Amino acid sequence: MPEQILMTSQAFFRSECLAELETRYKVHRLWEAGEQEALISEVAPHIRVVVTEGWAPAEFQAKFPNLELIASHGVGYDGVDLGAAQARKIAVTNTPGVLDDAVADLTIGLLIAVTRGIVVGDQYVRNGEWLKANFPLMSHLRGRQAGILGLGRIGLAIAQRLQAFGIEINYHNRRERSDVDYKYYSSLSMMAQDVDFLILSCVGGEETKKIVNREIMEKIGPTGVLINISRGSVVDEGDLVACLEEGKLGGAGLDVFTSEPHVPEALFKMPQVVLQPHIGSATLQTRIAMGQLVVDNVDAYYAKKPLLTPVA
Ligand code: 8YV
């Protein structure tokens, strides 16, 4: 009997990567089980590895007495209870690095889409508005100030791209980095005051929950733009809608939301907002690389080799 793995869902995990796992392991597909609890009770004693897509709360982990590895698909692990895993010495892996370019590309796309009105411009042409009048002037990128909240791998990939547009880079992190010469702010609020574009590429979870609230958004200001490609939880969505409605925040480009796939309907009517359905990493090449990294971590675990990308 091959080693048995439990996989929780397959919303993003490429089927070719699942097929590869199934050549070496017996994969129990939880999402396909009619009675999920019955499947868990039946297989739990045999499960040392769970493959998941950013989800493993403490009560779920507790169902597997012999669990040793949670191999998660996605860079964000805010849905995996790390404290519970650490308490039982369960290793956790994620898929960092391979999605930086895709997420950074989308970030730039959102920034240009908002500042140049690309989505409304498209509608303007399609609706025949251009036949009546020229499109209004929008705003420039060169020489403007961007503040990156969370200058990790993805934040750095965003910064490199912003530099190519002649945008000045500032950042706020828990700690100042010694390997960049971008301007560091120890205070998010002070950075928000000084920048035109606030870009969120930080981790989700309790430590960043709703840290971008009305106070921060009012500091970005009526001509400023908020871009969020991290987690919806980082932004107070009620404050966001209110600040945009009141014109206290100039615009927003959003790939992530508090209760996905539900998005506040008030945003649908706003021309200064560009919305995306959480597609930061959603390129075929990236998703194959993410899936492969999950497979490689699982293989490394069973081969008793060091895990490729353990969460620190
Ligand atoms: C995916 C993501 O939507 O990597 C992440 O943290 O948010 C995205 O890449 C998804 O989580 C993949 O499982």
Side-chain angles (χ1 to χ4, degrees):
M1 178 73 169
E3 296 284 357
Q4 300 185 48
I5 292 174
L6 185 107
M7 188 162 161
T8 58
S9 60
Q10 196 198 6
F12 310 104
F13 194 75
R14 293 290 309 164
S15 37
E16 50 269 59
C17 300
L18 176 55
E20 193 186 331
L21 272 183
E22 288 180 327
T23 61
R24 294 193 271 290
Y25 312 104
K26 165 72 190 151
V27 180
H28 297 286
R29 302 175 171 207
L30 187 61
W31 71 98
E32 284 179 357
E35 293 293 333
Q36 297 198 343
E37 287 308 319
L39 173 63
I40 291 174
S41 317
E42 184 193 326
V43 302
H46 311 293
I47 298 297
R48 288 191 287 148
V49 174
V50 162
V51 171
T52 181
E53 297 176 304
W55 179 88
E59 56 277 20
F60 173 75
Q61 296 178 30
K63 295 176 193 218
F64 302 91
N66 300 313
L67 187 58
E68 292 184 358
L69 172 67
I70 297 169
S72 184
H73 182 272
V75 68
Y77 46 82
D78 42 303
V80 177
D81 192 322
L82 279 191
Q86 271 159 8
R88 285 178 53 203
K89 296 196 167 36
I90 299 167
V92 177
T93 56
N94 64 342
T95 60
V98 292
L99 43 60
D100 302 348
D101 286 330
V103 178
D105 290 350
L106 186 78
T107 308
I108 301 302
L110 282 170
L111 181 63
I112 300 179
V114 175
T115 54
R116 298 299 299 272
I118 289 180
V119 177
V120 278
D122 178 89
Q123 288 159 359
Y124 197 82
V125 175
R126 291 175 199 245
N127 296 340
E129 299 291 318
W130 192 19
L131 300 171
K132 298 178 229 154
N134 282 331
F135 195 64
L137 298 183
M138 302 299 286
S139 66
H140 205 56
L141 294 180
R142 181 164 294 277
R144 311 287 296 282
Q145 299 284 335
I148 300 178
L149 171 59
L151 194 70
R153 287 191 186 84
I154 293 174
L156 284 171
I158 294 168
Q160 285 170 358
R161 286 160 173 75
L162 293 174
Q163 277 189 300
F165 288 93
I167 296 170
E168 302 291 328
I169 317 290
N170 309 272
Y171 72 103
H172 169 67
N173 257 4
R174 277 165 293 197
R175 279 175 297 281
E176 187 168 2
R177 294 187 67 124
S178 55
D179 56 347
V180 295
D181 52 14
Y182 307 135
K183 182 170 178 188
Y184 174 69
Y185 283 82
S186 57
S187 150
L188 170 62
S189 169
M190 284 170 68
M191 181 170 81
Q193 182 69 55
D194 290 352
V195 300
D196 304 295
F197 314 132
L198 183 69
I199 297 174
L200 312 183
S201 52
C202 56
V203 296
E206 281 307 311
E207 63 182 298
T208 55
K209 195 168 181 188
K210 295 192 182 183
I211 60 172
V212 177
N213 54 18
R214 174 178 279 275
E215 182 220 323
I216 300 295
M217 289 184 251
E218 288 189 357
K219 286 188 166 151
I220 308 169
T223 60
V225 172
L226 176 71
I227 304 289
N228 190 7
I229 51 80
S230 64
R231 284 290 181 263
S233 58
V234 180
V235 175
D236 185 317
E237 218 162 62
D239 285 0
L240 173 67
V241 169
C243 287
L244 286 163
E245 271 170 350
E246 295 161 20
K248 300 245 168 74
L249 172 68
L254 308 167
D255 185 42
V256 288
F257 304 88
T258 307
S259 308
E260 297 170 8
H262 302 285
V263 175
E265 280 189 29
L267 296 173
F268 297 173
K269 300 189 287 295
M270 297 185 188
Q272 73 278 38
V273 173
V274 175
L275 305 168
Q276 293 298 312
H278 197 151
I279 54 160
S281 69
T283 69
L284 180 60
Q285 296 85 343
T286 300
R287 287 285 169 79
I288 288 175
M290 291 165 70
Q292 190 60 49
L293 194 44
V294 172
V295 174
D296 293 347
N297 273 304
V298 171
D299 285 344
Y301 164 80
Y302 282 116
K304 300 193 186 331
K305 290 187 179 154
L307 297 170
L308 280 84
T309 48
V311 172

